[in-house]
């Protein structure tokens, strides 16, 4: 034995090796103490080595080459856990040095093999440049300068105020919800998509993320169309590529503008940011010029005038003077320049009137513009308070008037206006470029919304108070020399508005083309939509090149529409869908009160989110119920696609938390009242067996469970591993994964669980008692018949099966035992004909009749017919039994053929006695074999104990000392003789020689065997060709001494049948005749 020497250690100062230098008890590090002890042990102990040295130190690793960081530290007690649970100081250091590496902008693209490349630094933006300016550019865009005056003139001041208020409140509520979500954690690239997907799950996140991407892309089309409209109508109207239609001009110029903007975005996002300041400064100057013009108009009206013929508004780009003496005007309505020319009747009967386009702030103008002026398409714009002489309309001359290009109504104006407030996501979509997204997104977005809301509402009032109504209803400004209507209010020049609106639309288009590809890249890199993964790649610095190409292609589709008014409602739907789910995400997270829901932004409430969600849904159907349904269908299809083929992601989303709360509520409700018979269905606990490779031994058992359940109700698939969880925990997890894989292969919907127990018997008992939760507990157990129980010399298989039967009976649970389960049909098979035979021997609550009906609901058994057999005794009226059973089935609404089988009392046959005798002899032999094993184990232990006790004494005694002798009561020869004896007894003997042995048989066993034999004869005769036979399963004997014979009775009962399902009821009615 190795010897150990205790070496005393004195307290010394660090850095001193002298024990005399210690002036008293001074602190010393634990590492130094252990180090000195190890050195002393190594010097004193000749047997010490590397292995001994390692074992002597349980907490401090002596390998100084690999573990140098914790040497001399005071945390040796936690050393072995440092890899999985780092020190707080190390954790905080990593957290402080965390950089918000985004998925699309601020890091290099990672190779598919996981090798990380060097990162490229990209400038981080703050709140003003990163969020506020992009939001302002997208909000103050095309609608403000090109359509707001027309909306005010058509809907009136009150109607326009309602439209603007609804849309602004909707976006403000959405921004509040978005702020709460954005401040609840780090928001990387993807912005609003990231927030929605991590709050509502990958299915909702992917569906809404793609809707948001399409909306942002079509917004780029809208801004480009606005840019081209300003360019062709107000800046260079004579220069047109195609003379026939303006739509083709829009398509050609729009495509060129799209390619130019895509090139700018491709070069880099920093150039877009530099141009943003220039574009926004033009927008600010335009707005200031509008306010200044309104003030100037109140002092002195502008020089712009409108020419009216009668009460109709004329296009004045073709003449200079509003008088019939003007030659150009005369030629528009007359066939010659002379006074005797034939003129249009309406032109001849009515006078020309010239009025101020901006008369100033007058009560009359406000009254005229207070209410709406809706009308059909091609309706000439008329002034209400002017009289005119009616005349027959001349269609050729209508082109000289200003008229509606399409029918106007309130809901149409909502759909056209809403895109003007959709820029609130511009900052969050570029969250990867932000220095602090949690702070910048809420502040910048809400400030931008408040600023733009004030601008919109004030402009509604100014337009309604300062501009003539007929001019406001002129969408393209034909009545004021083809200028934007808003520009006539500007000071010092209308060109300030023209140039400002042009650059505003350009800037908003660039922002859309910048944000949309990054949004698509974030969706693609999440991997939730397989076919989009190619768009997750990009340039070396992370720029989404492929996503940009797809964005340009989709944007071109919007440009080909060539109408700003037709594109606007489309993107309104996509954005409203996105905003709806942002509000829903915040409401769900707030109501669930999940521990992780701790937003820094505190000014939110679930009622505000719910109001915003309701407002978004209302605006969708107000704008266009057709478009709303189409977008909902698109989002639903994307949702189902992700659910079916998308990658499995677990992001801790709110929908999962909502499901947990709903499940908890439902489980509590289920326990409040017992289950009614009408709602009873088999809730299965499937006991599976795993082989040595932890694979499912009988996968057809899962197929049968699927066919029986058809995806309804509860299915728990379980298995038991023998041992301890500490040693077989990993195997249990692997087995559970294999169970899930087998369930997926067999299309079994349910839960899987593998437990580790000291014995299989205890494991099955635990599962039967505790599987399920609350009201969702199993009420039936499905298992396979232990086919090889006879060949198994160990009786544990038989005992486990019988005890399982007893426990299910005690727990009032139904039991289904399938014989030859591997012969049962797979889910892909279709039984084209055949019967399912039910042998109703005893009443079990109706389970025997319910099971065939449930099987017939599945495609495998659908074409099989149901037959019910019942057994009549001598005293029974078989004819009346058949009539009663047919009436009972009719009331149960079951279609089945009824047959009553008569079983007369007969003498017990010699075959029955033979079966019983063989059964009892086999049982006796198994008991003796079991006894022999027990005795051999006991005697082997006795030898070991005696040898151990006499080991020391044997070393001291002389060679003449004799060791103790062990007398074995069971030898190998005795065992072989006993086996031969039983083999002879099991041979077929002469009938006369067996009769004395019959007299010694247990009469109860003889009667049971007689029942099993006679019933088996009848069943085989009637149902040998059936696809499935369902039999009442007799219960095990109350006296456990009869367990050895119980399995034999069941074996005889099922002999000669291929597919058998033994059914034992749970002690309650499971089927009823009442509705």
């Amino acid at each position: 034995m190795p010897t150990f020497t205790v070496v005393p250690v004195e307290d010394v100062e660090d850095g001193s090796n002298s024990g005399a230098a210690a002036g008293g008890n001074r602190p010393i590090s634990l590492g130094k103490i252990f180090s000195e002890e190890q050195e002393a042990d190594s010097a004193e102990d000749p047997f010490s080595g590397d292995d001994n040295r390692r074992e002597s130190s349980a907490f401090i690793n002596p390998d100084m080459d690999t573990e140098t960081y914790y040497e001399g530290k005071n945390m040796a007690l936690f050393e072995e856990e440092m890899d999985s649970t780092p020190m707080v100081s190390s954790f905080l250091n990593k957290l402080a040095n965390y950089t918000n590496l985004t998925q699309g902008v601020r890091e290099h693209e990672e190779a598919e093999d996981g090798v990380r490349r060097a990162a490229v630094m990209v400038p981080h933006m703050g709140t003003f440049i990163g969020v506020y300016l992009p939001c302002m550019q997208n909000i103050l865009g095309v609608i403000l300068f090109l359509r707001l005056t027309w909306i005010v003139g058509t809907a009136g001041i009150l109607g326009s105020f309602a439209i603007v208020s609804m849309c602004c409140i909707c976006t403000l509520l959405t921004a509040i919800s978005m702020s709460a979500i954005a401040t609840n954690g780090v928001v990387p690239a993807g912005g609003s998509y990231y927030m929605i997907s991590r709050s509502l799950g990958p299915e909702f996140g992917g569906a809404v993320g793609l809707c948001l991407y399409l909306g942002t892309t079509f917004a780029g089309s809208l801004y480009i169309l606005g840019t081209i409209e300003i360019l062709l109508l107000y800046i260079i109207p004579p220069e047109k590529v195609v003379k026939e239609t303006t739509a083709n001009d829009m398509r050609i110029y729009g495509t060129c503008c799209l390619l130019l903007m895509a090139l700018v975005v491709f070069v880099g996002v920093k150039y877009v940011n530099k141009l943003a300041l220039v574009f926004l400064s033009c927008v600010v100057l335009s707005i200031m010029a509008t306010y200044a013009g309104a003030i100037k108009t109140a002092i002195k009206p502008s020089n712009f005038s409108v020419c009216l013929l009668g009460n109709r508004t004329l296009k004045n780009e073709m003449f200079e003077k509003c008088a019939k003496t003007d030659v150009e005007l005369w030629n528009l309505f007359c066939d010659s320049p002379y006074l005797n020319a034939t003129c249009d009747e309406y032109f001849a009967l009515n006078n020309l009137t010239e009025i101020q386009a901006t008369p100033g702030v007058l009560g009359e103008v406000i009254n005229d513009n207070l209410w709406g002026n809706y009308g059909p398409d091609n309706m000439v714009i008329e002034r209400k308070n002017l009289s005119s002489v009616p005349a027959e309309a001349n269609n050729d001359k209508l082109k000289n008037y200003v008229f509606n290009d399409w029918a106007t109504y309130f809901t149409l104006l909502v759909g056209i206006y809403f895109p003007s407030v959709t820029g609130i996501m511009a900052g969050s979509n570029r969250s990867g470029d932000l220095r602090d997204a949690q702070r910048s997104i809420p502040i910048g977005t809400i400030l931008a919304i408040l600023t733009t809301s004030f601008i919109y509402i004030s402009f509604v009032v100014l337009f309604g108070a300062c501009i003539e109504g007929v001019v406001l209803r002129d969408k393209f400004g034909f009545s004021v020399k083809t200028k934007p209507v808003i520009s006539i209010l500007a000071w010092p020049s209308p060109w300030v508005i023209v140039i400002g609106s042009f650059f505003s639309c350009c800037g908003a288009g660039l922002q859309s083309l910048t944000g949309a590809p990054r949004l698509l890249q974030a969706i693609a890199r999440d991997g939730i939509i397989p076919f989009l993964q190619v768009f997750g790649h990009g340039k070396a610095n992370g720029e989404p090149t492929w996503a940009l190409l797809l964005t340009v292609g989709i944007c071109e589709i919007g440009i080909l529409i060539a109408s700003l008014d037709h594109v606007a409602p489309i993107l309104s739907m996509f954005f409203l869908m996105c905003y709806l789910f942002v509000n829903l995400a915040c409401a769900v997270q707030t109501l669930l009160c999940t521990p992780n829901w701790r937003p820094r932004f505190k000014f939110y409430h679930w009622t505000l989110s719910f109001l915003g969600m309701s407002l978004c849904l209302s605006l969708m159907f107000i704008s266009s119920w057709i478009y709303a349904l189409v977008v909902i269908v698109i989002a639903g299809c994307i949702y189902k696609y992700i659910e079916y083929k998308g990658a499995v992601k677990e992001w801790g989303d709110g929908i999962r938390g909502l499901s947990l709360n709903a499940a908890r509520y439902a489980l509590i409700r289920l326990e409040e009242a017992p289950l009614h018979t009408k709602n009873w269905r088999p809730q299965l606990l499937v006991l599976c067996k795993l082989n040595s490779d932890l694979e499912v031994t009988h996968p057809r058992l899962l197929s049968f469970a699927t066919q029986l359940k058809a995806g309804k109700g509860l299915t728990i698939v379980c298995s038991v591993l023998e041992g301890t969880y500490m040693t077989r925990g990993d195997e249990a997890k692997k087995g559970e994964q294999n169970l899930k894989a087998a369930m997926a292969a067999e299309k079994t919907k349910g839960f899987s669980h593998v437990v580790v127990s000291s014995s299989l018997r205890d494991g099955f008992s635990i599962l039967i008692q505790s599987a399920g939760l609350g009201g969702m507990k199993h009420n039936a157990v499905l298992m396979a018949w232990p086919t090889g129980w006879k060949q198994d010399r160990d009786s544990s298989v038989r005992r486990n099966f019988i005890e399982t039967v007893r426990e299910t009976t005690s727990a009032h649970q139904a039991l289904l035992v399938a014989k030859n389960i591997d012969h049962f049909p797979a889910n892909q098979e279709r039984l084209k004909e055949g019967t399912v035979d039910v042998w109703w021997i005893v009443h079990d609550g109706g389970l025997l009749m319910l099971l065939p009906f449930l099987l017939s609901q599945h495609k495998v058994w659908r074409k099989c017919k149901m037959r019910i057999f019942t057994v009549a005794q001598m005293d029974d009226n078989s004819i009346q039994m058949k009539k009663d059973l047919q009436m009972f089935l009719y009331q149960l609404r079951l279609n089945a053929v009824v047959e009553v089988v008569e079983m007369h009392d007969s003498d017990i046959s010699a075959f029955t006695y033979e079966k019983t005798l063989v059964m009892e002899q086999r049982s006796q032999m198994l008991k003796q074999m079991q006894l022999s094993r027990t005795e051999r184990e006991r005697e082997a232990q006795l030898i070991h104990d005696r040898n151990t006790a006499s080991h020391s004494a044997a070393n001291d005694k002389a060679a003449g000392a004799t060791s103790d002798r062990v007398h074995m009561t069971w030898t190998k020869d005795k065992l072989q003789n006993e086996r031969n004896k039983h083999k002879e007894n099991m041979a077929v003997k002469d009938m006369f020689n067996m009769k004395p042995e019959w007299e010694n048989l247990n009469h109860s066993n003889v009667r049971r065997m007689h029942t099993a034999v006679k019933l088996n004869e009848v069943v085989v005769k009637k149902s040998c060709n059936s696809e499935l036979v369902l039999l009442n399963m007799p219960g095990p004997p109350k006296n456990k001494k009869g367990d050895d014979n119980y399995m034999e009775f069941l074996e005889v009962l099922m002999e000669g049948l291929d597919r058998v399902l033994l059914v034992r009821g749970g002690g309650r009615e499971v089927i009823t005749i009442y509705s």
Side-chain angles (χ1 to χ4, degrees), residues 58-77:
F59 296 103
I60 298 181
N61 192 339
D63 191 357
M64 300 304 175
D65 294 335
T66 59
E67 295 289 340
T68 59
Y69 178 77
Y70 297 107
E71 181 182 3
K73 302 295 181 181
N74 293 329
M75 291 297 162
L77 186 62

Side-chain angles (χ1 to χ4, degrees), residues 941-955:
Q941 184 66 33
L942 179 61
I943 293 173
H944 178 269
D945 294 342
R946 290 181 177 179
N947 286 338
T948 303
S950 61
H951 181 267
S952 58
N955 293 333

Side-chain angles (χ1 to χ4, degrees), residues 512-531:
S512 297
L513 292 179
T514 301
R518 282 163 175 74
L519 179 59
L520 181 62
Q521 186 185 48
I523 298 173
R525 288 193 172 182
D526 270 342
I528 60 176
I529 303 178
F531 67 85

Side-chain angles (χ1 to χ4, degrees), residues 159 165 187 229 238 314 328 351 498 554 652 684 706 734 759 807-808 811 957 964 1023 1036:
S165 299
V187 182
E229 182 176 311
L314 293 175
E328 295 175 347
N351 296 324
V498 175
I554 298 176
L684 292 181
T706 302
K734 181 180 178 182
S759 65
E807 288 207 354
T808 55
K957 290 184 177 181
D964 295 337
S1023 304

Side-chain angles (χ1 to χ4, degrees), residues 573-867:
M573 295 300 113
F574 287 120
F575 278 110
L576 281 169
M577 175 67 73
C578 175
Y579 297 168
L580 185 149
F581 280 99
V582 169
N583 287 288
L584 175 62
C586 182
V588 168
Q589 296 280 23
T590 306
L591 290 174
L592 289 179
C593 298
T594 54
N596 191 54
W597 180 246
R598 303 183 301 274
R600 294 186 178 276
F601 183 80
K602 302 299 182 181
F603 305 99
Y604 70 95
H605 196 266
W606 69 268
T607 54
L608 297 178
S609 301
F610 185 78
L611 180 60
M613 181 178 62
S614 304
L615 193 55
C616 289
L617 187 62
S618 301
L619 288 175
M620 286 179 66
F621 284 92
I622 287 174
S623 301
S624 174
W625 65 271
I626 297 178
Y627 283 174
L629 292 178
V630 170
V631 171
I632 291 174
V633 169
I634 292 175
C637 292
I638 298 173
Y639 178 94
K640 296 305 292 184
Y641 175 81
I642 297 174
E643 186 180 45
Y644 179 68
K645 297 195 67 175
V648 178
K649 298 288 184 180
E650 177 51 54
W651 289 330
D653 52 88
I655 294 298
R656 184 175 179 86
L658 188 63
S659 301
L660 290 174
N661 272 10
R664 179 187 61 83
Y665 175 77
L667 289 174
I668 294 175
R669 288 293 304 272
L670 284 176
E671 281 196 319
E672 292 179 356
L675 187 67
H676 194 273
T677 303
K678 292 187 291 186
N679 297 325
W680 194 95
R681 67 166 58 245
Q683 317 287 0
L684 292 181
L685 173 66
V686 184
L687 299 180
C688 288
K689 182 181 179 182
L690 301 179
N691 57 21
S692 58
D693 296 329
L694 301 178
E695 299 290 340
V696 178
T697 307
H698 303 293
R700 291 292 173 87
L701 196 64
L702 301 179
S703 302
F704 183 71
T706 302
Q707 298 160 16
L708 188 62
K709 301 288 293 180
K712 304 295 191 300
L714 175 69
T715 302
I716 306 176
V717 182
C718 296
S719 186
V720 178
L721 298 181
E722 196 169 4
T724 62
Y725 191 77
M726 295 295 295
T727 58
R728 305 197 66 180
D730 294 337
E731 296 180 25
K733 294 177 181 178
K734 181 180 178 182
E736 190 164 340
Q737 292 177 354
N738 293 340
L739 276 182
K740 291 180 179 179
M743 292 173 65
E746 301 298 335
K747 299 180 179 180
T748 303
K749 297 180 179 179
F751 309 96
S752 61
H753 190 49
V754 176
V755 298
V756 182
S757 179
S758 58
S759 65
L760 297 178
R761 171 73 195 87
D762 293 340
F764 289 134
S765 176
I766 291 171
L767 290 174
I768 292 173
Q769 294 177 56
S770 61
L773 180 64
M776 285 294 287
K777 293 182 69 70
H778 63 279
N779 54 26
V781 177
L782 174 63
M783 60 188 302
W785 172 259
T787 307
W789 69 274
K790 283 188 175 181
Q791 290 75 24
D792 195 349
R793 296 174 60 184
D794 188 4
S795 62
S796 60
V797 176
R798 170 176 52 82
R799 286 188 283 106
N800 288 342
F801 177 81
I802 296 175
E803 289 302 318
T804 301
V805 176
R806 283 198 173 98
E807 288 207 354
T808 55
T809 304
S810 301
H812 300 288
Q813 296 174 4
L815 178 63
L816 311 178
V817 180
K819 179 190 176 185
N820 294 333
I821 185 62
D822 295 329
H823 297 174
F824 277 55
N827 290 328
Q828 295 77 20
E829 298 181 30
R830 300 292 182 268
L831 301 178
K832 297 182 179 180
E833 57 182 1
T835 60
V836 176
D837 291 353
V838 177
W839 285 85
W840 193 18
I841 311 301
V842 295
H843 182 57
D844 59 351
L847 183 59
L848 268 173
M849 288 176 285
L850 182 62
L851 292 178
F853 169 77
L854 295 177
L855 286 175
S856 66
Q857 306 302 305
H858 197 272
K859 292 177 287 188
V860 174
W861 305 90
R862 186 165 296 164
K863 294 185 178 181
C864 293
K865 296 181 180 179
M866 178 179 173
R867 297 192 302 178

